[in-house]
Amino acid sequence: MPAGERLPGAPDRAERIVLHVDMDCFYASCERLREPELEGEPLVVGMGYEAGETIGAVATASYEAREYGVESAQAIGAALDNLPRKAEEPDDPDAGYYRPVDMDFYQEVGGEVKEILYELGDTVREVSIDEAYLDVTERTAWDVAEGFGRHVKQRIQREVGVPASVGVAPDMSTAKLASDHDKPDGLVVVEPDEVREFLAPIEIEDVHGVGPVRARELREMGIDTAGDLAAADPYELVERFGERGRELHRRARGVDNRPVEPRGKPKSLSRESSFDGATDDFERVREQARTLGEAVADRATRKDAFYRTIGVKVVTPPYDVHTRAESLPGPVDDPDLVEDVTQDLLDEFADERVRKVGVRVSNLDFSEREQANLDGFADADASGDGDGTLDRGRYDRDREDDQSDRDGQVSLGDFE
Ligand code: DCP
Ligand code: MG
């Protein structure tokens, strides 16, 4: 049943069970996955701390580094003042480790976490690379919700190897506050009759929808906590903030009816990787594309996704993004075809220097396997398992240029 819809007689929203997951110091945890000796050490992930660089910012800091006052979005100079680099001060016990951001890797780890979450929730709303809401109403009950939350954390830790904090509550905004309440490695369950009490001491800045400006105004009105906000006169809030004021008043009282709506199935699956600087060795590019294509095809298979379009992305210096794609007459699950098509599409770039290459399958179809056997769609194996015997000659080789990818951005969501 879609989220938000209830059959007559089914539990109303007060009995919804929403679970929010937010990974702990996510980029730093990913770095620790491949460099376990960084476990327990102050670790900063960011850009621009290399010798001679002065512009840059911290993406995240491990909890040990936060003790030194290092935090997300801090200028790298300030971070280095608080916590010198171990590489430069090897004998300083108060020095830390710095690592550059590697989005491709974090996306991969985040993807593995999300796969587990999709198994565990009735519906999942992905919010960012390290954060998601799950509606788990049908999967658990309040008296065992803590055990369920622990199970979610343990599965992520065991199968992916990174720590998460989890909050469980009857609505999204309380669940988010709950996951943040006991970070890192937190697990906080707020049952329906505990919501008001849980929210009461929350600082006004932390209430969802309250930005720094509104927080200042609220504090001027003597409203310092969610409890104060809940107790405030709603008419006064509406007078001051309009409809938004009413909404905030409701949130502070734990009234948040938003259903956990999935963002929808992915529209495409892709992988890309950069070369140090740019390479003029096109065999390397081809080889890399082969590896990426295998990974993408494998992910599609695991997600039961069939694709109608196979594409490549090639980034040439200074940062020109070229995308090429080929549409197939029907959906396939065929790793060999991914390789053939991507290698063909790469031909036109053979004389270019390449900074980055990517492979994407799109126009995804998640319907049942047998439906992929379209009439007239060559498949020698009647079982329909797509064993690579498709007759390429039959394809209408539409070329398309995907304009949406031409902005040169390091797009995380789309060409993930
Ligand atoms: N991020 C970033 N720049 C920011 C904030 C965050 O690049 N200003 C990145 C790095 C984080 C990731 O997004 O690892 C997730 O953001 P979170 O706000 O969840 O922060 P963390 O996961 O790092 O820490 P926490 O344990 O507080 O969730
Ligand atoms: Mg996080």
Side-chain angles (χ1 to χ4, degrees):
M1 180 166 49
E5 277 178 39
R6 295 280 164 208
L7 297 172
D12 68 14
R13 67 130 227 118
E15 285 164 71
R16 260 189 329 146
I17 307 181
V18 178
L19 185 147
H20 181 255
V21 181
D22 190 303
M23 309 304 296
D24 300 325
C25 57
F26 183 57
Y27 295 3
S29 298
C30 292
E31 292 298 334
R32 285 170 165 170
L33 207 50
R34 56 183 175 188
E35 249 187 293
E37 40 309 351
L38 295 173
E39 206 58 61
E41 300 286 346
L43 169 62
V44 180
V45 179
M47 285 293 189
Y49 49 79
E50 294 84 357
E53 289 259 10
T54 49
I55 309 165
V58 172
T60 196
S62 72
Y63 281 79
E64 295 80 358
R66 293 181 198 191
E67 301 270 304
Y68 292 90
V70 182
E71 58 187 23
S72 288
Q74 192 167 56
I76 211 77
L80 284 165
D81 287 345
N82 291 329
L83 181 71
R85 292 181 74 183
K86 198 77 177 172
E88 279 159 15
E89 308 286 343
D91 299 326
D92 186 346
D94 291 319
Y97 296 84
Y98 285 72
R99 294 291 178 269
V101 170
D102 177 355
M103 270 331 280
D104 287 344
F105 181 54
Y106 311 149
Q107 288 286 355
E108 204 172 296
V109 178
E112 289 175 27
V113 173
K114 299 285 163 61
E115 276 177 35
I116 295 175
L117 299 183
Y118 278 102
E119 268 180 51
L120 293 171
D122 293 327
T123 54
V124 177
R125 182 173 189 82
E126 296 187 30
V127 178
S128 73
I129 187 171
D130 91 322
E131 187 189 340
Y133 294 91
L134 281 64
D135 189 312
V136 295
T137 312
E138 311 291 334
R139 306 289 183 107
T140 187
W142 284 114
D143 55 348
V144 289
E146 187 169 337
F148 187 85
R150 187 167 303 113
H151 174 68
V152 173
K153 281 161 59 81
Q154 281 171 348
R155 274 205 60 187
I156 297 171
Q157 184 67 59
R158 250 199 330 263
E159 293 175 32
V160 190
V162 284
S165 290
V166 163
V168 186
D171 67 276
M172 288 171 74
S173 91
T174 309
K176 183 174 167 67
L177 289 165
S179 77
D180 200 40
H181 198 69
D182 200 18
K183 256 182 176 295
D185 198 24
L187 172 58
V188 174
V189 177
V190 184
E191 296 198 23
D193 60 0
E194 300 167 341
V195 170
R196 288 290 291 270
E197 194 188 335
F198 171 76
L199 293 178
I202 301 277
E203 295 291 332
I204 200 69
E205 288 77 10
D206 295 332
V207 174
H208 194 79
V210 177
V213 175
R214 207 168 278 141
R216 206 173 318 121
E217 284 184 83
L218 286 163
R219 284 197 187 268
E220 278 164 16
M221 294 165 73
I223 297 172
D224 294 316
T225 63
D228 297 340
L229 185 57
D233 179 353
Y235 294 104
E236 206 179 313
L237 292 169
V238 171
E239 210 162 86
R240 189 82 176 246
F241 304 105
E243 271 313 299
R244 191 78 200 159
R246 195 187 310 277
E247 180 61 25
L248 291 176
H249 186 242
R250 286 158 53 83
R251 289 271 165 87
R253 286 161 44 243
V255 181
D256 173 9
N257 293 325
R258 290 174 300 157
V260 179
E261 277 177 329
R263 280 259 159 87
K265 300 265 189 188
K267 293 194 169 46
S268 65
L269 298 169
S270 61
R271 277 280 178 81
E272 59 183 51
S273 75
S274 316
F275 299 96
D276 305 333
T279 181
D280 46 20
D281 180 357
F282 203 69
E283 268 318 301
R284 244 185 103 196
V285 177
R286 286 191 181 284
E287 192 47 46
Q288 191 61 44
R290 234 169 253 130
T291 309
L292 295 167
E294 271 170 28
V296 168
D298 182 54
R299 236 164 94 207
T301 306
R302 280 186 287 122
K303 286 178 184 286
D304 288 327
F306 292 79
Y307 30 91
R308 290 168 190 267
T309 303
I310 299 169
V312 297
K313 171 173 168 179
V314 177
V315 181
T316 56
Y319 204 98
D320 295 326
V321 180
H322 312 273
T323 58
R324 299 290 183 269
E326 183 172 322
S327 288
L328 313 171
V332 297
D333 166 11
D334 187 341
D336 292 341
L337 193 59
V338 173
E339 174 172 346
D340 287 355
V341 171
T342 52
Q343 292 296 324
D344 283 0
L345 293 171
L346 286 175
D347 284 346
E348 76 171 279
F349 301 99
D351 297 321
E352 302 274 6
R353 298 177 66 231
V354 175
R355 292 183 68 133
K356 196 175 224 185
V357 65
V359 173
R360 168 162 62 185
V361 297
S362 54
N363 259 318
L364 301 185
D365 185 331
F366 291 88
S367 44
E368 299 300 313
R369 267 183 173 258
E370 44 281 17
Q371 289 178 21
N373 272 329
L374 301 182
D375 276 350
F377 195 53
D379 188 346
D381 178 356
S383 76
D385 271 339
D387 64 355
T389 54
L390 292 164
D391 175 6
R392 295 280 319 279
R394 290 197 179 204
Y395 290 130
D396 218 348
R397 306 189 68 193
D398 283 348
R399 288 222 156 175
E400 356 174 290
D401 277 350
D402 185 348
Q403 296 295 334
S404 64
D405 255 334
R406 301 201 129 197
D407 54 7
Q409 278 187 359
V410 187
S411 144
L412 306 178
D414 195 15
F415 220 96
E416 54 175 313

